[in-house]
Amino acid sequence: MITLTIAEIAQAVSGRFDPAGSPATESDVVSGYVETDSREIVDGGIFVAKPGEATDGHRFVSAAVDRGAALAIVEHTVDTVVPQIIVDDAVTALGALAGEVIRRVKASGDLTVIGITGSNGKTTTKNLLNAILAPDAETVAPKNSFNNTVGAPTTMLRVTPSTRYLISELGASGIGHIARLAALATPDIAIELKVGMAHAGGFGGIEATARAKTELVESLSEDGIAILNRDDHRVAAMASATSARVVWFGEHADADVRASDIAVSARGTTFTVLLADGQSATVNFRVLGEHHVMNALAAIAAATELGVPLDTAVARIESVTRAERWRMEVMGGRDGITIINDAYNASPDSMAAALKTLALITEPEQRTVAVLGAMSELGEYAGDEHDRIGLMAVRLGISQLVVVGPEARRLHISAINEGSWAGESIYFETADEAYDYLHANLRSGDTVLVKSSNSVGLRFLGDRLGELFS
C-alpha cells in the first residue's frame, strides 16, 4: 500500500483513532499490506477485523499483532496493544480505504485500471492479461478469485506509487455490487466477457444478471474503453449503456479482435487472431478448452489497446500453461490416464464447455469419464440446468458419467432417462466413494474430467486422482 499516516487512514474510513496502550500517534505512518486474514499479515501490515459467518476477525487481532501488524481497523476496541481505528463497519472501511488509495495514486501517478467481469472467465482473463502486462511494468492483479467486497478492495490496496496497471476482477451476486466496486477502482478499461447462468439464483434470472454486469461499462467515462464480447448478444447490448469507446472481440465478423481457424486438441487450442488494422498471428494456446479462446481474445484486445505489440501479447499468452489452479488443470499421465481438474467452480455454461472439451480432445478409441458434482447458486433454475447437463453428457457420447453428491443426483437421473443405462451413469453420495470406484475402474488411455462448483469440493477428488495416476 502507499504510505499514509494513521490520521489519513482514519479520515479515509471515517474512523476514530485509539492508541490502545501503544505509543503510536496519529502522525505515525503505515505502508504495509492490508489483510483480513491474520495468517496473511506480514511485518508492518494493517489488519481489518472483519466479522464473518463462521468467526469474528476481532478474535484474531492479537494473532495479527504477533505476525507484525502495525495497525488494526476494528468495529470495537480490542484488548491488545496495537494502534486501532474504530469504524462502524469493517468491510465498508476496507472499501473506503481502497478507494482513497486508488484516488491518490491516479492523481499522482500513471495508473491504469482494467476492470473485468462476466459470468465465466474472469480469473483466466485476469491471469492472461497479467502475463502480458507484468513483464513491462509493475502490475497488480488479484490472488485466486479475489473479486468480491473484500477480495477486490484488498487487491486494490496492493498498488504503490509506481504501479502502472491494476487488474481488478469484479464479481457480484446482486444488483449494485459491481457498481460499488467500480466506484472504488474507477476503471479506465472495462472487459465484459459473458452473461450466463452463474449465480442466476441470487440475481433472479439471466436478464437481472445482465443488468448487474452492465454496471461496469456504465462506470466508464467517455475517455474509457469498453471491451465487449461481440458473440454474446447480452454483452453486445451493453454498447448502448456506455459513453466509452467500444472495442469488440469474438468470432463474429464485426469483431475488432477476432479468432478464426480454431482447432482443439489435448495439447491445447490453436487459432488465428486477426486485428481490425489487418495484423494477424497464429496462437498456440496451451490452456485446455476452446472456451478459453474468448478469454485470450479479451486479454489481447486490452493489451493492444494499451500499446503492447500483437506478437508480444501472443508470445506471452503462449507461455501460460494453465488458466488457474483447479481450472482445466491437466494432471496424471501414468498408464495414459489424463485427469482434467476443473472443479474450482461450475455454472451451466462452464460445465457445458468443459464437457464439450472432453469430447473434442479424446480419440475415438479412448474412454471419456466425466465426474460431475452440483452447480450451486442457481436457485429455482437448478433442476432444469442439472437436467440439461445430464442430457448433454449422454448426447456428447461421454463413455462414463460419475455423479457425486445429493444436490447433483438429478443430473444422474436425467442421464438415465435420456438413455444412459447399464452403468454408463453411476451415482455416489460422497467423493470418497467415487474415488474408490474410479481407483478400481479407470483404465489405460482414459481421459477424466472432474467438474463441480467450489462448495462441493470435488477439486480435492481431482487432486487425489491426479496424484494417483502421476
Side-chain angles (χ1 to χ4, degrees):
M1 192 184 78
I2 65 173
T3 300
L4 295 172
T5 66
I6 292 178
E8 288 172 323
I9 294 172
Q11 182 177 16
V13 302
S14 301
R16 174 178 58 85
F17 172 63
D18 182 349
S22 75
T25 68
E26 290 185 284
S27 61
D28 289 351
V29 297
V30 184
S31 61
Y33 289 134
V34 181
E35 304 288 355
T36 61
D37 185 337
S38 62
R39 297 167 296 185
E40 299 294 325
I41 287 287
V42 296
D43 195 45
I46 301 172
F47 178 62
V48 179
K50 176 182 72 70
E53 294 180 6
T55 188
D56 186 345
H58 294 80
R59 296 175 54 197
F60 300 96
V61 173
S62 293
V65 173
D66 290 343
R67 294 186 66 87
L71 177 69
I73 296 176
V74 296
E75 294 182 1
H76 56 79
T77 302
V78 177
D79 187 17
T80 301
V81 179
V82 65
Q84 299 170 34
I85 296 174
I86 294 79
V87 297
D88 292 334
D89 184 287
V91 174
T92 300
L94 179 68
L97 182 58
E100 176 66 11
V101 167
I102 296 298
R103 185 189 67 77
R104 288 179 179 237
V105 175
K106 277 200 161 192
S108 61
D110 192 23
L111 177 67
T112 297
V113 179
I114 305 108
I116 303 173
T117 195
S119 298
N120 305 106
K122 295 184 292 296
T123 300
T124 301
T125 304
K126 171 260 297 185
N127 287 339
L128 294 174
L129 187 55
N130 186 47
I132 296 171
L133 298 178
D136 293 332
E138 183 179 312
T139 302
V140 172
K143 297 184 293 183
N144 303 318
S145 294
F146 277 22
N147 59 32
N148 60 13
T149 54
V150 174
T154 301
T155 299
M156 297 172 196
L157 286 163
R158 299 181 84 84
V159 302
T160 71
S162 58
T163 301
R164 179 68 180 85
Y165 301 111
L166 167 64
I167 305 171
S168 187
E169 272 189 63
L170 304 179
S173 55
I175 301 294
H177 294 185
I178 289 175
R180 286 194 290 273
L181 293 176
L184 304 179
T186 58
D188 303 288
I189 297 175
I191 299 175
E192 298 272 6
L193 296 167
K194 184 178 181 63
V195 176
M197 288 297 292
H199 314 297
F203 282 107
I206 196 165
E207 296 307 327
T209 304
R211 179 71 195 89
K213 301 299 182 186
T214 303
E215 293 168 3
L216 178 57
V217 296
E218 288 175 335
S219 73
L220 295 171
S221 71
E222 61 182 13
D223 296 326
I225 303 171
I227 297 177
L228 306 181
N229 181 349
R230 185 64 178 83
D231 296 358
D232 185 317
H233 72 276
R234 292 184 177 87
V235 173
M238 295 177 189
S240 63
T242 183
S243 59
R245 179 166 59 87
V246 172
V247 175
W248 300 107
F249 69 92
E251 294 182 60
H252 195 284
D254 293 341
D256 300 296
V257 180
R258 181 165 63 90
S260 67
D261 305 319
I262 299 173
V264 181
S265 74
R267 294 179 299 278
T269 306
T270 300
F271 64 96
T272 300
V273 58
L274 305 102
L275 304 189
D277 64 4
Q279 294 184 74
S280 65
T282 299
V283 184
N284 295 304
F285 190 34
R286 290 191 284 171
V287 175
L288 197 61
E290 181 178 353
H291 53 294
H292 286 306
V293 170
M294 298 299 287
N295 303 327
L297 291 178
I300 291 170
T304 53
E305 287 294 325
L306 291 167
V308 178
L310 177 60
D311 58 349
T312 299
V314 168
R316 290 174 181 171
I317 277 182
E318 289 181 333
S319 71
V320 178
T321 59
R322 70 178 185 186
E324 179 68 86
R325 183 84 166 95
W326 299 311
R327 287 179 168 88
M328 297 303 284
E329 184 176 8
V330 179
M331 309 170 75
R334 178 170 63 81
D335 299 329
I337 296 173
T338 300
I339 310 297
I340 303 170
N341 193 352
D342 192 35
Y344 185 83
N345 225 328
S347 67
D349 291 325
S350 68
M351 186 77 84
L355 284 171
K356 289 176 184 176
T357 297
L358 176 64
L360 279 170
I361 67 173
T362 307
E363 299 297 328
E365 69 277 6
Q366 293 178 302
R367 286 203 317 163
T368 50
V369 181
V371 184
L372 306 182
M375 300 174 288
S376 62
E377 300 184 59
L378 293 177
E380 64 183 287
Y381 307 98
D384 289 344
E385 293 301 325
H386 283 89
D387 286 347
R388 187 170 69 87
I389 295 301
L391 301 180
M392 175 177 287
V394 175
R395 292 171 183 175
L396 286 171
I398 302 302
S399 309
Q400 176 73 73
L401 184 60
V402 179
V403 180
V404 184
E407 293 181 345
R409 192 171 187 275
R410 185 161 168 173
L411 193 159
H412 167 63
I413 299 301
S414 296
I416 293 174
N417 290 340
E418 179 65 10
S420 177
W421 59 86
E424 289 174 325
S425 181
I426 189 166
Y427 170 77
F428 295 102
E429 287 282 329
T430 70
D432 286 341
E433 292 172 326
Y435 175 83
D436 291 340
Y437 171 82
L438 293 162
H439 188 182
N441 288 278
L442 289 180
R443 56 184 188 238
S444 180
D446 285 352
T447 301
V448 184
L449 169 71
V450 183
K451 180 75 173 170
S452 76
S453 282
N454 194 22
S455 59
V456 179
L458 291 196
R459 63 194 185 280
F460 304 118
L461 172 60
D463 283 346
R464 291 177 70 190
L465 292 171
E467 293 171 5
L468 177 64
F469 294 105
S470 63

